Amino acid sequence: MITLRPWRLSDASALRECIATSPDLTRQVGTADVSSVEACRAFIRDALPNEASAVNFASCVDDVPVGNIGISSIEYRHSTGWTYYWLAAGARGQGIATRALATVATWAFTEQSIHRLELGHRVDNPASCRVATRAGFIVEGVERERLRYGTERFDVETHARLATDATIDFDPLPLAA
């Protein structure tokens, strides 16, 4: 069963496994130390918060985390937020990220009174683009050299979804907020 729930410190070994089996995820965690279970425990505590300005949910298969879906930079005056997602390599291609993104967007619109959610992905990541568009996020443009990983810069395609956009047909995931 696929579910979304807040991260727990006890998920540290699952997070370590996600990173270890998906070398491309090191970009997602930046310079954070995720080299051990203890370091992953600190990462969960410090970088995957659930607070007023940011929420993160573990995307789980049978209650074992295989990814993350989050919203940061939540700004209630303008009702906006920035959403992001990642999955371990072994969980990709099953629609989990799309369903997680659509579920969290619906939750943000209905439960958090967010009006606009934005996201961006490297232009060399077509899989992330498919996730965004299938979850109802509309392409808005390209930001040149927006991201830097190491010494390399990447263009980012931005997408957004509004609470007033047409609803999409999807099978929502159970979400424990």
Side-chain angles (χ1 to χ4, degrees):
M1 174 178 216
I2 303 167
T3 58
L4 301 174
R5 62 162 173 79
W7 283 88
R8 304 173 187 142
L9 292 178
S10 59
D11 294 328
S13 59
L15 174 60
R16 179 69 199 119
E17 180 70 14
C18 288
I19 302 291
T21 59
S22 311
D24 61 311
L25 291 183
T26 56
R27 285 183 176 170
Q28 301 295 344
V29 298
T31 59
D33 178 10
V34 288
S35 62
S36 68
V37 171
E38 188 56 39
C40 286
R41 202 172 282 115
F43 183 80
I44 290 168
R45 183 189 64 239
D46 299 337
L48 298 173
N50 282 312
E51 54 196 25
S53 63
V55 294
N56 286 275
F57 298 101
S59 298
C60 299
V61 174
D62 297 328
D63 205 37
V64 176
V66 296
N68 184 69
I69 177 74
I71 306 172
S72 66
S73 302
I74 298 172
E75 205 284 325
Y76 289 99
R77 180 172 183 259
H78 299 292
S79 304
T80 60
W82 180 266
T83 189
Y84 48 89
Y85 44 88
W86 59 259
L87 280 178
R92 296 175 191 164
Q94 303 171 49
I96 296 171
T98 299
R99 289 176 64 202
L101 180 57
T103 299
V104 167
T106 300
W107 172 81
F109 297 147
T110 60
E111 302 298 319
Q112 300 299 305
S113 300
I114 298 296
H115 178 74
R116 177 184 170 87
L117 285 175
E118 303 167 342
L119 66 82
H121 61 82
R122 294 183 328 273
V123 295
D124 67 344
N125 187 347
S128 189
C129 186
R130 285 190 298 274
V131 167
T133 55
R134 288 178 181 159
F137 284 72
I138 297 168
V139 174
E140 292 193 331
V142 173
E143 295 178 273
R144 299 176 309 131
E145 297 187 4
R146 183 168 200 284
L147 296 178
R148 182 185 69 198
Y149 297 110
T151 60
E152 193 173 1
R153 298 214 64 100
F154 294 87
D155 292 351
V156 170
E157 183 173 76
T158 58
H159 297 242
R161 184 168 167 200
L162 306 178
T164 54
D165 285 345
T167 58
I168 62 163
D169 185 27
F170 78 103
D171 186 16
L173 296 174
L175 172 68

